[in-house]
Amino acid sequence: MIILSFHIGHNFSICLLNDGKIEKYFVLERFTKIKYDNAESPDSENVLVELIHDICKKSNIDIVCISNFNTDDTLTGEIYDYCKSHHPNVKLVIQSHHHLNHASHAFVNSGFDESLVVVVDGSGSTIKDNLVEVESVFYSNKDKTTLLYKNTVEQFDPSDLPWGEYIFSVGWLYDMTAVLIGNTPDDCGKAMGLSSYGKPNDSFKNLFDNFFENSSQEIKKFLKEPTKNITQLHADFCYEVQHQTQERVGDLIENWVEKTGIKKVCITGGYGLNIIANYYYKKRFPNVEFYFEPLCNDNGASIGAAINSYIEVTKKFPFKSEDTFFQGFHYDVFPYQGTFASPGVVANLLLNNKSVAVYSGFSESGQRALGNRSILFNALNPNAKDIINEIKRREWYRPFAAVVLEEDAHLYFEDVCSNANMTLCFPVKSDLIPGVTHIDGTCRVQTVTSGHLYDILKEFKQLIGHGILLNTSFNLSGEPLVETPADALNVLNNSSLDYVWFEETKQLIS
């Protein structure tokens, strides 16, 4: 049984599921270079057609599956017709329950026998009239997934200010906060980064309780003026949004853990990218075992839809994903020649405060680089954040992650646990790593136990005694993660990045 699944919407993605295993996975933005691409432009549709053609030539498709908020979407028919032109007997299946797609994806990957699955995002499927799902709780086991709770709010565009006539949900509130600080609703991570610069502010209390209606005229004016000129008031607002939203989701978790007695919880939906909230749940519920789905935003909806279709048709349970390194194609890097460099040479460059981008195999499927498309730098350098922000052209307030030898993680971070997919942040307890320590004293952490990053870290530790580095995604601000070797060299040639290291051939290019 081969299922070709598409998520139509922002973060357009494609999943090929072969007998319950992910065989191929594609994020459209990596090929069109349009971040969060939704395939609405003619150029994007042309790239999409090329991808479908390539897949259909190589695979005997049984089912075309569409994850879509709107089952009448024109693109759905076009995709199905194109696939049918290659495979006349292919069947169309619509998986329109967006939160269910998120939930199934997370539960399969969790490895749990049963769990609660909490889904929180900006908006999911339309439930009735103009109401969209924003928060859901499911009970899942290997036989069934049952909806326990669903919250809905009226559909609206978070970019459409003022906000006074709308009811805030967790996802909407974070989307609107991103807009307030001069970005798009997809840039919630920027608001999360700024929240650490804020402090409690009574002007923004009770955001979920008729907040806009009860606000002063000064605050109403502030909330109508999106800007990139960040003030302390913007940071305070982000602080309150972060704390009030994580507490609200925490209350939701507490309620359903108490009602069901189930102490295994999967977190997914776009809000699951919020590493501050994820750490908050772990601290608040020490007796609950959490699984945080790395591909929890809409990129993963095509996978969840494929999983649901597979279960419905075969009555079998699919296989969990082993890692997140399966995006796109494997590219030939042998034509790209520079200087041979072992992991030890790379470590020496990093010790001397050179920036080295790593290009290895398939790119990561999610937004977070985990070593296949990463820029590395010396985390011990107090100026690391400014240096890398200049390379990437990012906002000054955005922090960087650390990659660390898992066996040494406890030397730098409190309460740290295995965190290979960078889904959590932890308090920093060492003053040796200012380059990756955020203003609030925390750091997003990736722990590694093997592979080329592990080798570089071991070499770095041999040189200076510390197996830890700064790790950030290999891209420039506003652009998707690099996909091809040519993309990698384009970043090198158009920024102050020092080197690209092609891991497969050990070729270093400057």
Side-chain angles (χ1 to χ4, degrees), residues 157-164 166 176 179-180 222-226:
D157 182 352
S159 302
D160 186 15
L161 301 179
W163 303 333
Y166 303 118
M176 293 184 293
V179 172
L180 178 66
F222 164 77
L223 294 172
K224 292 177 183 179
E225 298 177 347

Side-chain angles (χ1 to χ4, degrees), residues 28 304 347 391 439 471:
L28 188 62
I391 292 172
I439 191 171
N471 176 18

Side-chain angles (χ1 to χ4, degrees), residues 39 99 202 223 284 434:
H99 279 195
D202 287 340
L223 294 172
R284 178 170 168 178

Side-chain angles (χ1 to χ4, degrees), residues 29-45:
E29 67 170 22
R30 307 288 175 81
F31 304 93
T32 63
K33 311 308 173 193
I34 302 170
K35 201 165 185 180
Y36 314 119
D37 198 350
N38 58 9
E40 289 186 352
S41 73
D43 288 344
S44 297
E45 287 200 35

Side-chain angles (χ1 to χ4, degrees), residues 133-144:
E133 58 185 0
V134 289
E135 292 129 26
S136 301
V137 179
F138 297 87
Y139 166 78
S140 290
N141 61 29
K142 293 187 177 181
D143 295 320
K144 63 180 179 179

Side-chain angles (χ1 to χ4, degrees), residues 339-346 349 501-503 505-508:
T339 303
F340 180 83
S342 66
V345 171
V346 173
L349 291 171
W501 186 60
F502 289 109
E503 182 272 331
T505 57
K506 304 295 186 288
Q507 293 295 303
L508 187 73

